[in-house]
Amino acid sequence: MPNIISICGSLRKGSFNRMVMTALPKLAPAGLSIKEAPSFADFPLYNADIQNSTGFPAAVNVLAEAIRAADGVIFCTPEYNFSIPGGLKNALDWISRLPQQPFIGKPIAIQSASPGPLGGARIQYELRKSLVFLDALTMNKPEIFVGNCVAKFDEKTGELEDDATINLIRQQLEAFSSFIERHGTKA
Ligand SMILES: Cc1cc2nc3c(=O)[nH]c(=O)nc-3n(C[C@H](O)[C@H](O)[C@H](O)COP(=O)(O)O)c2cc1C
């Protein structure tokens, strides 16, 4: 059974992207397990001096190991200033310097949510660009942009309740499952 990990690009408690991420396990097709990845919240800012003196921080190795062990990774991330949120970019920067860089050949799917109308369309292309350098295998379609997202969650529970979004996410997860079957090396 393919096991997927999900990485949320937002660190804040009330994150809409986390609400999307939380909805994934029950929208996944039978046989696809989706669990949250270990957090990157405690990664120090990337500095080659840290890497060269005390080595990679433990939290970097923990996330890297989870990525290596997964059949695929789903990013649920906001767009910051038309680009990748700093915390997430910092995490990718640390991971990119590891020996046995864990993203090589790894199937990836991307989702983004924003209160704005485009749903974070621009961050997805920035993230794809970094994932090219990391030699990951990013699925092209279907794309998930949750625009005008505030109205799409239950105000009290944070549950995703927009049927069109739910259907699109179901389609993407089905496609990701097939993508992993076709291209994944671990499944
Ligand atoms: C530093 C910063 C930059 C932002 N830049 C963008 C942006 O470029 N495009 C966009 O759609 N929303 C932008 N926003 C608004 C975020 O989409 C919004 O805060 C969203 O709720 C963040 O995701 P989260 O709810 O998962 O934390 C920005 C927010 C912050 C804090």
Side-chain angles (χ1 to χ4, degrees):
M1 156 154 130
N3 80 86
I4 308 297
I5 57 170
S6 55
I7 296 178
C8 182
S10 173
L11 295 172
R12 76 184 188 95
K13 277 200 211 86
S15 161
F16 294 113
N17 286 276
R18 172 165 293 279
M19 291 176 196
V20 172
M21 193 174 90
T22 304
L24 299 184
K26 60 177 186 294
L27 301 180
L32 196 77
S33 146
I34 305 177
K35 296 208 170 92
E36 182 175 354
S39 174
F40 59 77
D42 293 330
F43 286 20
L45 286 181
Y46 180 79
N47 180 339
D49 293 341
I50 300 175
Q51 184 189 328
N52 295 331
S53 55
T54 51
F56 287 90
V60 173
N61 281 316
V62 169
L63 177 54
E65 206 39 63
I67 295 166
R68 287 191 195 103
D71 295 295
V73 176
I74 300 177
F75 287 95
C76 301
T77 179
E79 172 178 285
Y80 279 2
N81 299 309
F82 290 4
S83 191
I84 304 172
L88 177 59
K89 181 61 165 54
N90 184 57
L92 295 177
D93 291 343
W94 269 112
I95 284 169
S96 71
R97 307 319 290 171
L98 283 165
Q100 294 175 280
Q101 194 269 97
F103 280 112
I104 294 174
K106 190 66 61 181
I108 307 284
I110 304 176
Q111 307 178 346
S112 57
S114 167
L118 299 187
R122 304 171 189 94
I123 191 267
Q124 296 210 9
Y125 290 91
E126 292 295 310
L127 184 54
R128 282 176 186 277
K129 195 168 70 179
S130 290
L131 290 167
V132 169
F133 183 76
L134 292 171
D135 228 355
L137 221 54
T138 308
M139 186 172 76
N140 291 331
K141 288 191 273 188
E143 298 173 300
I144 303 290
F145 307 111
V146 187
N148 302 314
C149 72
V150 180
K152 294 179 177 168
F153 301 94
D154 182 287
E155 216 176 297
K156 291 205 178 82
T157 63
E159 198 157 332
L160 179 62
E161 52 182 16
D162 179 67
D163 287 340
T165 306
I166 287 171
N167 285 335
L168 278 171
I169 290 176
R170 280 211 174 99
Q171 285 170 33
Q172 193 204 45
L173 296 178
E174 289 271 359
F176 196 40
S177 180
S178 311
F179 184 81
I180 290 169
E181 225 167 86
R182 284 200 308 279
H183 303 294
T185 50
K186 292 195 69 270

mmCIF file of all heavy atoms in Angstrom, residues 132-159:
data_model
loop_
_atom_site.group_PDB
_atom_site.id
_atom_site.type_symbol
_atom_site.label_atom_id
_atom_site.label_comp_id
_atom_site.label_asym_id
_atom_site.label_seq_id
_atom_site.Cartn_x
_atom_site.Cartn_y
_atom_site.Cartn_z
ATOM 1 N N VAL A 132 12.585 20.783 -9.490
ATOM 2 C CA VAL A 132 13.386 20.365 -10.658
ATOM 3 C C VAL A 132 14.844 20.231 -10.230
ATOM 4 O O VAL A 132 15.504 19.229 -10.508
ATOM 5 C CB VAL A 132 13.252 21.371 -11.817
ATOM 6 C CG1 VAL A 132 14.288 21.084 -12.908
ATOM 7 C CG2 VAL A 132 11.858 21.327 -12.421
ATOM 8 N N PHE A 133 15.335 21.230 -9.506
ATOM 9 C CA PHE A 133 16.738 21.157 -9.055
ATOM 10 C C PHE A 133 16.945 19.944 -8.145
ATOM 11 O O PHE A 133 17.986 19.300 -8.159
ATOM 12 C CB PHE A 133 17.163 22.442 -8.334
ATOM 13 C CG PHE A 133 18.617 22.401 -7.928
ATOM 14 C CD1 PHE A 133 19.621 22.582 -8.870
ATOM 15 C CD2 PHE A 133 18.985 22.151 -6.616
ATOM 16 C CE1 PHE A 133 20.956 22.507 -8.511
ATOM 17 C CE2 PHE A 133 20.315 22.071 -6.250
ATOM 18 C CZ PHE A 133 21.316 22.255 -7.202
ATOM 19 N N LEU A 134 15.911 19.648 -7.326
ATOM 20 C CA LEU A 134 16.007 18.523 -6.392
ATOM 21 C C LEU A 134 15.796 17.176 -7.083
ATOM 22 O O LEU A 134 15.858 16.130 -6.444
ATOM 23 C CB LEU A 134 14.984 18.694 -5.263
ATOM 24 C CG LEU A 134 15.281 19.866 -4.326
ATOM 25 C CD1 LEU A 134 14.116 20.109 -3.380
ATOM 26 C CD2 LEU A 134 16.531 19.581 -3.522
ATOM 27 N N ASP A 135 15.531 17.221 -8.393
ATOM 28 C CA ASP A 135 15.371 15.996 -9.180
ATOM 29 C C ASP A 135 14.173 15.153 -8.746
ATOM 30 O O ASP A 135 14.199 13.928 -8.859
ATOM 31 C CB ASP A 135 16.652 15.147 -9.085
ATOM 32 C CG ASP A 135 17.103 14.697 -10.461
ATOM 33 O OD1 ASP A 135 16.375 14.958 -11.426
ATOM 34 O OD2 ASP A 135 18.165 14.058 -10.548
ATOM 35 N N ALA A 136 13.152 15.840 -8.218
ATOM 36 C CA ALA A 136 11.925 15.136 -7.832
ATOM 37 C C ALA A 136 11.082 14.880 -9.078
ATOM 38 O O ALA A 136 11.367 15.403 -10.166
ATOM 39 C CB ALA A 136 11.146 15.975 -6.819
ATOM 40 N N LEU A 137 10.035 14.086 -8.896
ATOM 41 C CA LEU A 137 9.157 13.715 -10.011
ATOM 42 C C LEU A 137 7.788 14.322 -9.746
ATOM 43 O O LEU A 137 6.897 13.668 -9.200
ATOM 44 C CB LEU A 137 9.056 12.190 -10.018
ATOM 45 C CG LEU A 137 9.081 11.434 -11.328
ATOM 46 C CD1 LEU A 137 10.289 11.810 -12.151
ATOM 47 C CD2 LEU A 137 9.087 9.942 -11.033
ATOM 48 N N THR A 138 7.614 15.590 -10.094
ATOM 49 C CA THR A 138 6.388 16.305 -9.726
ATOM 50 C C THR A 138 5.282 16.040 -10.746
ATOM 51 O O THR A 138 5.491 16.223 -11.949
ATOM 52 C CB THR A 138 6.662 17.817 -9.611
ATOM 53 O OG1 THR A 138 7.790 18.003 -8.749
ATOM 54 C CG2 THR A 138 5.470 18.550 -9.036
ATOM 55 N N MET A 139 4.130 15.608 -10.243
ATOM 56 C CA MET A 139 2.984 15.329 -11.125
ATOM 57 C C MET A 139 2.456 16.654 -11.691
ATOM 58 O O MET A 139 2.342 17.640 -10.972
ATOM 59 C CB MET A 139 1.889 14.617 -10.322
ATOM 60 C CG MET A 139 0.736 14.152 -11.175
ATOM 61 S SD MET A 139 -0.429 13.115 -10.266
ATOM 62 C CE MET A 139 -1.311 14.339 -9.295
ATOM 63 N N ASN A 140 2.123 16.653 -12.961
ATOM 64 C CA ASN A 140 1.664 17.886 -13.603
ATOM 65 C C ASN A 140 0.197 18.205 -13.312
ATOM 66 O O ASN A 140 -0.133 19.340 -12.958
ATOM 67 C CB ASN A 140 1.846 17.793 -15.117
ATOM 68 C CG ASN A 140 3.314 17.802 -15.501
ATOM 69 O OD1 ASN A 140 4.145 18.382 -14.803
ATOM 70 N ND2 ASN A 140 3.650 17.140 -16.594
ATOM 71 N N LYS A 141 -0.669 17.225 -13.501
ATOM 72 C CA LYS A 141 -2.110 17.469 -13.412
ATOM 73 C C LYS A 141 -2.808 16.300 -12.733
ATOM 74 O O LYS A 141 -2.298 15.177 -12.848
ATOM 75 C CB LYS A 141 -2.690 17.653 -14.822
ATOM 76 C CG LYS A 141 -2.312 18.959 -15.461
ATOM 77 C CD LYS A 141 -3.106 19.208 -16.730
ATOM 78 C CE LYS A 141 -2.425 18.562 -17.928
ATOM 79 N NZ LYS A 141 -3.006 18.894 -19.223
ATOM 80 N N PRO A 142 -3.977 16.500 -12.127
ATOM 81 C CA PRO A 142 -4.707 17.764 -11.961
ATOM 82 C C PRO A 142 -4.030 18.660 -10.922
ATOM 83 O O PRO A 142 -3.384 18.168 -10.008
ATOM 84 C CB PRO A 142 -6.080 17.335 -11.444
ATOM 85 C CG PRO A 142 -6.100 15.843 -11.429
ATOM 86 C CD PRO A 142 -4.709 15.367 -11.559
ATOM 87 N N GLU A 143 -4.210 19.973 -11.114
ATOM 88 C CA GLU A 143 -3.679 20.941 -10.156
ATOM 89 C C GLU A 143 -4.791 21.297 -9.157
ATOM 90 O O GLU A 143 -5.959 21.328 -9.513
ATOM 91 C CB GLU A 143 -3.241 22.211 -10.887
ATOM 92 C CG GLU A 143 -2.130 21.967 -11.895
ATOM 93 C CD GLU A 143 -1.842 23.194 -12.725
ATOM 94 O OE1 GLU A 143 -2.750 23.673 -13.432
ATOM 95 O OE2 GLU A 143 -0.705 23.692 -12.670
ATOM 96 N N ILE A 144 -4.385 21.593 -7.920
ATOM 97 C CA ILE A 144 -5.360 21.994 -6.893
ATOM 98 C C ILE A 144 -5.020 23.388 -6.394
ATOM 99 O O ILE A 144 -3.998 23.589 -5.732
ATOM 100 C CB ILE A 144 -5.334 21.024 -5.683
ATOM 101 C CG1 ILE A 144 -5.604 19.578 -6.121
ATOM 102 C CG2 ILE A 144 -6.324 21.485 -4.606
ATOM 103 C CD1 ILE A 144 -7.020 19.310 -6.567
ATOM 104 N N PHE A 145 -5.854 24.353 -6.772
ATOM 105 C CA PHE A 145 -5.724 25.715 -6.256
ATOM 106 C C PHE A 145 -7.018 26.027 -5.505
ATOM 107 O O PHE A 145 -8.071 26.141 -6.133
ATOM 108 C CB PHE A 145 -5.608 26.737 -7.398
ATOM 109 C CG PHE A 145 -4.520 26.434 -8.401
ATOM 110 C CD1 PHE A 145 -4.845 26.045 -9.692
ATOM 111 C CD2 PHE A 145 -3.185 26.570 -8.061
ATOM 112 C CE1 PHE A 145 -3.852 25.779 -10.630
ATOM 113 C CE2 PHE A 145 -2.186 26.309 -8.987
ATOM 114 C CZ PHE A 145 -2.509 25.909 -10.280
ATOM 115 N N VAL A 146 -6.943 26.141 -4.194
ATOM 116 C CA VAL A 146 -8.155 26.434 -3.430
ATOM 117 C C VAL A 146 -8.242 27.952 -3.249
ATOM 118 O O VAL A 146 -7.718 28.516 -2.284
ATOM 119 C CB VAL A 146 -8.178 25.693 -2.077
ATOM 120 C CG1 VAL A 146 -9.526 25.878 -1.386
ATOM 121 C CG2 VAL A 146 -7.864 24.210 -2.264
ATOM 122 N N GLY A 147 -8.872 28.617 -4.217
ATOM 123 C CA GLY A 147 -9.007 30.080 -4.181
ATOM 124 C C GLY A 147 -10.192 30.494 -3.317
ATOM 125 O O GLY A 147 -11.082 29.682 -3.042
ATOM 126 N N ASN A 148 -10.184 31.757 -2.887
ATOM 127 C CA ASN A 148 -11.264 32.275 -2.018
ATOM 128 C C ASN A 148 -11.571 31.267 -0.910
ATOM 129 O O ASN A 148 -12.724 30.905 -0.676
ATOM 130 C CB ASN A 148 -12.526 32.543 -2.838
ATOM 131 C CG ASN A 148 -12.264 33.540 -3.958
ATOM 132 O OD1 ASN A 148 -11.638 34.587 -3.738
ATOM 133 N ND2 ASN A 148 -12.677 33.224 -5.165
ATOM 134 N N CYS A 149 -10.511 30.789 -0.265
ATOM 135 C CA CYS A 149 -10.650 29.574 0.555
ATOM 136 C C CYS A 149 -11.446 29.771 1.842
ATOM 137 O O CYS A 149 -11.984 28.804 2.374
ATOM 138 C CB CYS A 149 -9.269 28.992 0.848
ATOM 139 S SG CYS A 149 -8.299 29.964 2.023
ATOM 140 N N VAL A 150 -11.525 31.011 2.334
ATOM 141 C CA VAL A 150 -12.120 31.211 3.666
ATOM 142 C C VAL A 150 -13.529 30.610 3.741
ATOM 143 O O VAL A 150 -13.893 29.962 4.719
ATOM 144 C CB VAL A 150 -12.136 32.715 4.039
ATOM 145 C CG1 VAL A 150 -12.750 32.925 5.415
ATOM 146 C CG2 VAL A 150 -10.720 33.279 4.001
ATOM 147 N N ALA A 151 -14.282 30.800 2.656
ATOM 148 C CA ALA A 151 -15.681 30.341 2.649
ATOM 149 C C ALA A 151 -15.796 28.831 2.448
ATOM 150 O O ALA A 151 -16.906 28.285 2.502
ATOM 151 C CB ALA A 151 -16.433 31.064 1.529
ATOM 152 N N LYS A 152 -14.689 28.153 2.221
ATOM 153 C CA LYS A 152 -14.772 26.733 1.854
ATOM 154 C C LYS A 152 -14.586 25.777 3.038
ATOM 155 O O LYS A 152 -14.579 24.568 2.866
ATOM 156 C CB LYS A 152 -13.763 26.436 0.741
ATOM 157 C CG LYS A 152 -14.154 27.186 -0.524
ATOM 158 C CD LYS A 152 -13.242 26.995 -1.688
ATOM 159 C CE LYS A 152 -13.812 27.759 -2.892
ATOM 160 N NZ LYS A 152 -12.885 27.868 -4.001
ATOM 161 N N PHE A 153 -14.395 26.364 4.218
ATOM 162 C CA PHE A 153 -14.227 25.553 5.423
ATOM 163 C C PHE A 153 -15.308 25.918 6.433
ATOM 164 O O PHE A 153 -15.743 27.072 6.493
ATOM 165 C CB PHE A 153 -12.856 25.821 6.062
ATOM 166 C CG PHE A 153 -11.701 25.515 5.139
ATOM 167 C CD1 PHE A 153 -11.136 26.520 4.364
ATOM 168 C CD2 PHE A 153 -11.202 24.227 5.036
ATOM 169 C CE1 PHE A 153 -10.082 26.242 3.497
ATOM 170 C CE2 PHE A 153 -10.153 23.940 4.185
ATOM 171 C CZ PHE A 153 -9.591 24.954 3.408
ATOM 172 N N ASP A 154 -15.682 24.929 7.235
ATOM 173 C CA ASP A 154 -16.598 25.212 8.337
ATOM 174 C C ASP A 154 -15.880 26.136 9.325
ATOM 175 O O ASP A 154 -14.768 25.827 9.764
ATOM 176 C CB ASP A 154 -16.997 23.897 9.023
ATOM 177 C CG ASP A 154 -17.990 24.141 10.129
ATOM 178 O OD1 ASP A 154 -17.599 24.675 11.196
ATOM 179 O OD2 ASP A 154 -19.160 23.783 9.938
ATOM 180 N N GLU A 155 -16.531 27.230 9.629
ATOM 181 C CA GLU A 155 -15.896 28.260 10.462
ATOM 182 C C GLU A 155 -15.472 27.710 11.826
ATOM 183 O O GLU A 155 -14.445 28.098 12.374
ATOM 184 C CB GLU A 155 -16.914 29.391 10.667
ATOM 185 C CG GLU A 155 -16.301 30.767 10.703
ATOM 186 C CD GLU A 155 -17.395 31.815 10.808
ATOM 187 O OE1 GLU A 155 -18.216 31.915 9.864
ATOM 188 O OE2 GLU A 155 -17.421 32.501 11.839
ATOM 189 N N LYS A 156 -16.275 26.796 12.368
ATOM 190 C CA LYS A 156 -15.999 26.292 13.724
ATOM 191 C C LYS A 156 -15.046 25.110 13.729
ATOM 192 O O LYS A 156 -14.105 25.055 14.511
ATOM 193 C CB LYS A 156 -17.319 25.892 14.402
ATOM 194 C CG LYS A 156 -18.197 27.083 14.729
ATOM 195 C CD LYS A 156 -19.148 26.766 15.891
ATOM 196 C CE LYS A 156 -19.970 28.002 16.228
ATOM 197 N NZ LYS A 156 -21.146 28.165 15.328
ATOM 198 N N THR A 157 -15.294 24.155 12.835
ATOM 199 C CA THR A 157 -14.498 22.913 12.885
ATOM 200 C C THR A 157 -13.296 22.948 11.955
ATOM 201 O O THR A 157 -12.377 22.141 12.092
ATOM 202 C CB THR A 157 -15.361 21.704 12.477
ATOM 203 O OG1 THR A 157 -15.759 21.904 11.102
ATOM 204 C CG2 THR A 157 -16.590 21.590 13.341
ATOM 205 N N GLY A 158 -13.283 23.849 10.991
ATOM 206 C CA GLY A 158 -12.195 23.895 10.019
ATOM 207 C C GLY A 158 -12.297 22.811 8.969
ATOM 208 O O GLY A 158 -11.393 22.626 8.144
ATOM 209 N N GLU A 159 -13.421 22.118 8.940
ATOM 210 C CA GLU A 159 -13.583 21.032 7.966
ATOM 211 C C GLU A 159 -13.821 21.579 6.558
ATOM 212 O O GLU A 159 -14.598 22.526 6.391
ATOM 213 C CB GLU A 159 -14.755 20.151 8.399
ATOM 214 C CG GLU A 159 -14.707 18.803 7.731
ATOM 215 C CD GLU A 159 -15.484 17.770 8.522
ATOM 216 O OE1 GLU A 159 -15.589 17.914 9.752
ATOM 217 O OE2 GLU A 159 -15.989 16.843 7.900
#
